[in-house]
């Protein structure tokens, strides 16, 4: 798949709430990078990324809403603006805005990096 095709598929899956299926777009040796100081700041390998997603998802008590914007593609990178409004089992309700940046190699997401205000989460 081209970078545009990966971006379009990721946006489509996320808009449908199929986040677990979106990880099928990742390479086995993908890297996920959160903001500095956040737990699991750098996660290497798809299996570990999936474990982190499962922990995050299992910590959500209630999802109130969110948005997935249109992807902006440049070369082998794309950026997607996203918002989420969730209540965590511990920590309360959080409204978050983030830019999710992806690097594509050989038709798969090789690196995902997320930019947001970490103080909104704690």
């Amino acid at each position: 798949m081209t970078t545009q095709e990966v971006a379009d598929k990721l946006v489509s899956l996320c808009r449908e709430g199929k986040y677990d299926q979106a990880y099928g777009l990742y390479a086995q040796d993908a890297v996920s990078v959160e903001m500095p100081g956040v737990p699991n700041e750098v996660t290497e390998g798809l299996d570990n990324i999936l474990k982190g997603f499962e922990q995050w998802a299992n910590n959500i008590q209630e999802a109130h809403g969110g948005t997935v914007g249109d992807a902006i593609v440049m070369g082998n990178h794309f950026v997607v603006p996203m918002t989420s409004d969730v209540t965590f089992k511990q920590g309360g309700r959080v409204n978050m805005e983030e830019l999710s940046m992806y690097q594509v190699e050989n038709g798969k997401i090789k690196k995902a990096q997320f930019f947001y205000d970490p103080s909104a989460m704690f």
Side-chain angles (χ1 to χ4, degrees), residues 8-29:
D8 292 344
K9 185 69 173 172
L10 180 93
V11 166
S12 175
L13 289 169
C14 290
R15 285 181 177 164
E16 294 173 22
K18 297 177 180 177
Y19 298 103
D20 54 337
Q21 291 181 31
Y23 287 105
L25 299 169
Y26 281 54
Q28 284 297 317
D29 61 346

Side-chain angles (χ1 to χ4, degrees), residues 1 3 25 27 29 76 103-111:
M1 283 194 286
T3 301
L25 299 169
D29 61 346
N76 68 329
Q103 178 182 338
V104 177
E105 288 183 14
N106 300 317
K108 292 283 191 176
I109 294 171
K110 180 73 170 186
K111 181 178 181 183

Side-chain angles (χ1 to χ4, degrees), residues 23-89:
Y23 287 105
L25 299 169
Y26 281 54
Q28 284 297 317
D29 61 346
V31 175
S32 178
V33 181
E34 299 288 339
M35 294 298 293
V38 171
N40 302 317
E41 184 178 331
V42 177
T43 304
E44 296 183 7
L46 180 56
D47 290 341
N48 293 325
I49 292 170
L50 287 169
K51 286 177 191 172
F53 169 73
E54 289 171 11
Q55 290 173 343
W56 176 82
N58 289 335
N59 193 31
I60 294 175
Q61 178 177 326
E62 183 179 356
H64 308 285
T67 61
V68 179
D70 294 329
I72 299 171
V73 177
M74 182 69 64
N76 68 329
H77 289 84
F78 67 97
V79 177
V80 180
M82 298 185 185
T83 66
S84 62
D85 179 6
V86 297
T87 298
F88 289 102
K89 293 175 183 172

